[in-house]
Amino acid sequence: MNFYYTILWPLRWVVELILVAWHWLFSNIGMDPNSGLTWVLSIVGLVVVIRAALIPVFVRQIRNQRKMLEVAPQIKKIQDKYKGKKDQLSREAMSREMMEFYKTSGTNPLSSCIPLVIQIPIFGALFAVLNNAQDGKVGVGLLNAPLSHSFGSASLFDFAPLHDSFRSALADHVVPVMVVAAIMVALMVASQFYTQLQIMSKNISDETKNSPQFRQQRTMMYFLPFIFLFSGFAFPLGVMFYWLTTNIWTMVQQFLVIRAMPTPGSEAARLREDRLARKRDAQIAAGRLVVTTPAIEGAEPEVKRVNTQRTQPVSTKRKKKRR
């Protein structure tokens, strides 16, 4: 365990820096420094900073997912080529061909897991910081003795300590903490499931839904939330607030991406085309757009924007000056 904490030392230092910075901000705007709400909001601020820093990684993940969906038919052809061949040579040949295809197409089947993989050490660092604070230990960075004691003894609603978990509350027969922890676990699982459902139900093309990759992703959609269902009962409340806020961020971020940049051929793409068509019809009806008949037969009508800005009159003196 000491080796684990040593490996996470740099991340723990950064986590403490962000936590203390947000705690200082909320304390200086009139909130109680020792309140559980102050520390919960500091954890939310930690999520905001981390997820904002991960936006470039998320954009790269979305692009790679699009590529994976585009090349799904070619991957299926390679798999069908070796279908029914269970000998070692055939499996090795298929693996080589798949790796070569991934290399030439510039895709990576594991890149969709990168944001989650990056967050796991941060998650572990927060867990270590909270455990140290619970034991009254000073942090590795800016979490000094008074702040460590404040964080370790902070309670939400004055009856749910942030260092408590469902498992510890069950051992001590503390029913209020069990109720709060159970609600948090349910919200974590529901938000995680809905985040996956957003992609699987609306942002997948009809062709991809018939591919093996889609069936694997759909299986993961039902499997991943159950991991949090069982492991969440061992998480302290402070860590669960971090994970729930992360899920909410991901859910809103994906909603905006799916709405603005849907996968071609998906239900979300069709809904976006309908929205754009309704918007264009409304602008035509309002006179802001004009549809002109094409001179060439068979060509599509051209839509031009009408300049509704009022032209300011120019005096004679200003005209002469310009000349």
Side-chain angles (χ1 to χ4, degrees):
M1 187 63 70
N2 291 333
F3 176 75
Y4 173 73
Y5 283 167
T6 303
I7 293 296
L8 291 179
W9 190 93
L11 282 177
R12 288 170 60 193
W13 194 92
V14 174
V15 166
E16 290 182 14
L17 171 65
I18 300 172
L19 268 178
V20 170
W22 282 105
H23 182 265
W24 176 87
L25 176 64
F26 291 126
S27 300
N28 279 272
I29 61 174
M31 298 186 67
D32 182 6
N34 298 317
S35 169
L37 179 60
T38 304
W39 283 109
V40 166
L41 290 177
S42 301
I43 293 172
V44 173
L46 173 69
V47 174
V48 171
V49 173
I50 291 172
R51 292 310 302 267
L54 288 178
I55 286 177
V57 180
F58 178 79
V59 172
R60 185 177 178 183
Q61 174 195 8
I62 293 294
R63 289 175 179 172
N64 188 77
Q65 285 178 343
R66 295 281 175 86
K67 285 185 179 180
M68 288 297 296
L69 294 176
E70 290 173 2
V71 301
Q74 288 86 346
I75 294 175
K76 188 175 184 301
K77 288 180 181 179
I78 297 175
Q79 292 173 338
D80 292 341
K81 179 180 176 181
Y82 295 95
K83 190 175 182 180
K85 300 178 182 180
K86 298 182 179 180
D87 58 286
Q88 185 68 22
L89 292 176
S90 297
R91 287 198 296 267
E92 290 177 357
M94 186 180 74
S95 299
R96 284 195 302 270
E97 193 168 345
M98 291 283 284
M99 292 300 294
E100 185 64 28
F101 176 76
Y102 288 140
K103 185 178 179 180
T104 54
S105 62
T107 55
N108 185 356
L110 300 178
S111 66
S112 59
C113 304
I114 289 177
L116 180 62
V117 170
I118 292 176
Q119 288 185 84
I120 287 175
I122 301 171
F123 182 74
L126 178 62
F127 193 90
V129 169
L130 191 56
N131 273 355
N132 275 4
Q134 177 186 352
D135 297 335
K137 297 178 181 178
V138 179
V140 299
L142 298 180
L143 198 68
N144 55 29
L147 288 174
S148 179
H149 176 74
S150 174
F151 190 26
S153 59
S155 296
L156 191 64
F157 311 125
D158 296 328
F159 62 79
L162 296 182
H163 64 261
D164 269 0
S165 64
F166 184 91
R167 187 172 61 185
S168 62
L170 181 63
D172 297 334
H173 304 287
V174 185
V175 177
V177 177
M178 292 169 58
V179 172
V180 174
I183 292 173
M184 291 293 297
V185 170
L187 290 174
M188 282 172 59
V189 173
S191 58
Q192 183 76 28
F193 179 78
Y194 184 74
T195 300
Q196 298 294 324
L197 188 64
Q198 270 185 323
I199 300 175
M200 305 301 290
S201 61
K202 290 185 177 181
N203 206 35
I204 300 292
S205 64
D206 297 333
E207 182 182 359
T208 307
K209 288 182 179 180
N210 298 321
S211 66
Q213 283 73 26
F214 176 77
R215 290 192 289 269
Q216 292 173 3
Q217 290 181 3
R218 187 173 57 185
T219 304
M220 292 295 291
M221 180 184 71
Y222 293 103
F223 176 71
L224 280 176
F226 281 98
I227 296 178
F228 295 101
L229 179 63
F230 293 106
S231 61
F233 288 108
F235 294 157
L237 290 179
V239 175
M240 282 198 283
F241 272 109
Y242 170 84
W243 205 253
L244 177 61
T245 309
T246 297
N247 286 351
I248 293 173
W249 176 289
T250 304
M251 190 165 52
V252 174
Q253 187 173 248
Q254 283 193 164
F255 172 79
L256 296 176
V257 170
I258 291 173
R259 183 178 175 84
M261 297 181 296
T263 301
S266 64
E267 180 184 349
R270 291 190 288 271
L271 291 173
R272 183 174 184 273
E273 290 297 327
D274 291 341
R275 287 196 305 271
L276 293 176
R278 288 197 300 269
K279 183 179 179 180
R280 186 186 63 179
D281 293 342
Q283 289 178 334
I284 291 173
R288 290 192 291 270
L289 291 178
V290 175
V291 181
T292 58
T293 305
I296 303 174
E297 187 178 352
E300 293 186 1
E302 186 179 357
V303 180
K304 293 183 179 180
R305 183 171 295 276
V306 179
N307 186 13
T308 57
Q309 188 175 1
R310 181 176 176 269
T311 305
Q312 295 293 336
V314 182
S315 64
T316 308
K317 289 183 179 180
R318 289 181 65 186
K319 283 183 180 179
K320 290 180 179 179
K321 203 177 212 181
R322 286 181 184 176
R323 289 174 185 173

